[in-house]
Amino acid sequence: MACLLSVAAGLLYWVGAGTVAYLTLRVSYWLFWAFRLWGVGNDAWVGPRLGEWAVVTGSTDGIGKSYAEQLAKRGMKIVLISRSQDKLSQVASEIKEKFKVETRTIAVDFTSEDIYDKIEAGLAGLEIGVLVNNVGMSYDYPEYFLDIPDLDNTIRKLININVISVCKMTRLVLPGMVERSKGAVLNISSASGMLPVPLLTIYSATKAFVDFFSQCLHEEYRSKGIFVQSVLPYYVATKLAKIRKPTLDKPSPETFVKAALQTVGLDARTNGYPIHSLMGSIHSLLPTWLFAKISMNIHKSLRARYLKKNKKN
């Protein structure tokens, strides 16, 4: 009996020691990688060396505008693509004046599918080194699928903007990158695409598509010199998120994009910002059912608050 107890104790000791060693290695690797990513970064990787031009969709506000500005700051010429020509002209003028680079604009509505011939004509002949697929659409407020206002139209819009635009824009730009064996495609997904988010069902699903599409595309074309990145931010202080004041966990678009660009060439799937990366690591440890339950409760509360404020039943 004493012999068996001794063997069991020895086994438990080595299991415990092995577990501690494994966790120590995991934490050490995570800390090393975090320092490499956020402390050292890869800031010089993105620039005209990839190609003269950067193309940014949804580029008149928020994250898209900040990507356009940061890429212009690195000396890249910028093609701005968005819906409003007035806003496009204003942002193009600001970038041209501030960063002394050439700019072009293409005004299209990404809710439509018949816009890509116009975009293709506008991009013809340009040496495009970076494509930022940023244009996106979410709900006005969290809602049950069948209760979404104007449901059929909302389905069409979210799929056209969040899914089809990413595929079509990549289709237009990628061949030139492959021909030159260099380029970067940065697809702005969302933390809502990492795990299922009830009451934002269509948005969560479309952003999950962007994430998987990016990961697959990166594996297909990395050997051809193309870096494809899935960017999965949590809340950023933008109009889309309806957040006006930046905080530590809800950075300004400028702060977020500066951090995210440091990861290009290093990390093909990133939350783009150190605090968001920590949040993503924690959420990835949760069982899917638990995350969905927590998310459901949060969004039910947000839904009730919105409906009360707007006097809806």
Side-chain angles (χ1 to χ4, degrees), residues 70-299:
Q70 288 300 315
L71 293 169
K73 186 177 181 180
R74 286 163 169 74
M76 300 192 76
K77 301 173 183 178
I78 308 295
V79 180
L80 305 164
I81 308 179
S82 198
R83 182 174 58 180
S84 169
Q85 184 59 60
D86 289 342
K87 287 184 178 180
L88 282 168
S89 298
Q90 180 181 344
V91 173
S93 178
E94 291 173 1
I95 289 175
K96 186 175 182 179
E97 181 178 347
K98 185 174 182 180
F99 300 106
K100 312 302 179 187
V101 297
E102 185 179 345
T103 60
R104 295 189 184 184
T105 65
I106 303 173
V108 292
D109 184 350
F110 281 100
T111 63
S112 301
E113 293 185 53
D114 58 354
I115 60 174
Y116 295 97
D117 286 343
K118 178 179 179 180
I119 295 174
E120 184 174 19
L123 300 180
L126 301 185
E127 184 188 72
I128 298 169
V130 177
L131 168 63
V132 183
N133 280 314
N134 167 74
V135 66
M137 176 184 174
S138 186
Y139 295 11
D140 289 331
Y141 65 97
E143 186 55 282
Y144 292 88
F145 177 71
L146 291 178
D147 295 331
I148 297 171
D150 195 12
L151 178 57
D152 287 341
N153 197 36
T154 300
I155 292 172
R156 179 185 64 81
K157 285 183 177 180
L158 262 75
I159 291 176
N160 280 347
I161 293 175
N162 295 355
V163 175
I164 291 178
S165 73
V166 175
C167 296
K168 291 279 195 177
M169 289 301 303
T170 303
R171 167 66 184 87
L172 292 178
V173 172
L174 190 59
M177 293 181 175
V178 171
E179 185 178 344
R180 293 180 290 108
S181 299
K182 57 184 177 180
V185 178
L186 314 181
N187 294 327
I188 312 305
S189 178
S190 166
S192 298
M194 296 173 65
L195 290 165
V197 181
L199 300 186
L200 290 179
T201 298
I202 309 172
Y203 179 74
S204 178
T206 58
K207 288 302 184 178
F209 172 87
V210 174
D211 183 31
F212 273 59
F213 176 80
S214 303
Q215 292 182 67
C216 293
L217 205 66
H218 181 69
E219 291 303 319
E220 289 181 15
Y221 288 95
R222 63 191 302 182
S223 63
K224 300 181 186 297
I226 316 301
F227 187 87
V228 182
Q229 184 180 63
S230 175
V231 185
L232 303 116
Y234 283 80
Y235 284 118
V236 177
T238 65
K239 290 181 181 179
L240 180 66
K242 299 180 177 64
I243 299 172
R244 296 180 180 179
K245 187 176 180 181
T247 60
L248 181 63
D249 64 324
K250 302 176 184 66
S252 68
E254 294 80 10
T255 298
F256 176 83
V257 171
K258 284 180 182 178
L261 281 173
Q262 289 188 174
T263 70
V264 180
L266 291 176
D267 199 357
R269 188 172 188 259
T270 178
N271 294 111
Y273 176 67
I275 302 300
H276 289 186
S277 180
L278 179 61
M279 292 164 65
S281 297
I282 294 170
H283 286 160
S284 68
L285 299 175
L286 298 177
T288 300
W289 67 266
L290 179 58
F291 180 88
K293 187 175 181 62
I294 293 170
S295 181
M296 181 70 172
N297 290 334
I298 291 172
H299 285 104

Side-chain angles (χ1 to χ4, degrees), residues 27-43:
V27 171
S28 298
Y29 175 78
W30 187 87
L31 290 173
F32 170 78
W33 180 243
F35 175 75
R36 175 68 182 90
L37 204 58
W38 308 115
V40 179
N42 200 29
D43 200 51

